[in-house]
Amino acid sequence: MGATKHQEQLRIQQEEEECAKQQQEEAMRLHMEDEEAKLQQQIEILQRKAEEAKERQRKAEEAKERQRKAEEAKERQRKEEEEAEEHLSIRGVWQSQTVASFDIRVIDTDAPSYLHRDVSSVLSSAEEEKKRKYIDAAEARRASFTPLVVSIDGVLGQKQNVSYNSLLTK
């Protein structure tokens, strides 16, 4: 009977140890789950911060690109204004005390790129191109703008013919 009691005490001790071990494992598992949840939260916070940083970086790059484009546009406008100032400007041609700006362009209408078009079409296109390029700068200076386009063969552009006729009548 002493052996049986001793065995019973050993069994109870083993059960208690097993129960304590299970409780310890359960506590460890719960602790690990808690730590894992905390780590997951920290990861999510870091991911959000990384996304926010990327978004700030993207916005900064967009702002930098807008700034660069604005500076390029200002530079183009400045150059156009400088070019407009470099044109032939005469006061009183069309109206008294008003500046008339002229830009001269000589075109080789015999060049291979123009052979499929007639001369008046090439000259007219060049006149329109000049007007598109310089009219705003001229108007900003309160001046008129007249493109003077001529072929290397001496053919005048349509606008130039009108300009000469107008000048001849003054």
Side-chain angles (χ1 to χ4, degrees):
M1 192 162 249
T4 309
K5 196 172 189 184
H6 181 63
Q7 286 177 343
E8 183 67 22
Q9 284 177 343
L10 281 175
R11 186 184 60 72
I12 290 173
Q13 186 181 359
Q14 285 176 345
E15 285 178 4
E16 286 174 353
E17 287 175 359
E18 184 66 31
C19 185
K21 185 179 175 184
Q22 286 177 355
Q23 287 176 347
Q24 189 178 17
E25 287 176 354
E26 181 65 18
M28 185 64 94
R29 185 185 62 76
L30 290 174
H31 177 73
M32 294 295 279
E33 285 178 0
D34 188 42
E35 289 298 311
E36 188 177 315
K38 287 179 184 176
L39 284 173
Q40 187 61 37
Q41 286 176 341
Q42 288 177 346
I43 289 170
E44 289 171 1
I45 289 169
L46 289 173
Q47 286 174 334
R48 272 196 306 271
K49 286 182 178 181
E51 288 172 8
E52 290 169 358
K54 283 181 185 177
E55 183 65 17
R56 283 192 304 274
Q57 178 69 24
R58 184 187 63 77
K59 287 181 178 180
E61 287 173 0
E62 286 176 354
K64 201 181 269 186
E65 181 66 15
R66 283 192 303 272
Q67 179 68 26
R68 185 187 64 76
K69 286 182 179 180
E71 288 173 1
E72 284 177 357
K74 282 182 182 178
E75 182 62 19
R76 273 193 310 275
Q77 183 178 4
R78 185 190 64 75
K79 285 182 180 179
E80 286 176 4
E81 288 172 359
E82 281 179 3
E83 288 175 0
E85 291 171 3
E86 292 173 1
H87 301 294
L88 175 63
S89 294
I90 304 170
R91 185 177 303 277
V93 172
W94 307 125
Q95 288 181 325
S96 178
Q97 297 303 312
T98 301
V99 174
S101 291
F102 298 89
D103 184 78
I104 303 165
R105 181 170 181 185
V106 179
I107 298 178
D108 181 1
T109 54
D110 296 325
S113 58
Y114 297 127
L115 287 179
H116 67 285
R117 295 172 58 193
D118 71 306
V119 173
S120 64
S121 165
V122 172
L123 297 175
S124 179
S125 294
E127 287 174 336
E128 290 305 314
E129 178 185 334
K130 287 287 185 184
K131 281 201 98 153
R132 271 193 311 275
K133 189 172 181 179
Y134 298 117
I135 192 73
D136 291 338
E139 287 175 354
R141 292 179 27 239
R142 294 193 174 125
S144 65
F145 177 76
T146 305
L148 302 177
V149 179
V150 63
S151 76
I152 61 170
D153 301 320
V155 178
L156 301 176
Q158 190 175 25
K159 300 261 192 254
Q160 195 167 344
N161 276 330
V162 172
S163 300
Y164 279 140
N165 290 337
S166 180
L167 287 172
L168 291 174
T169 60
K170 285 196 171 204

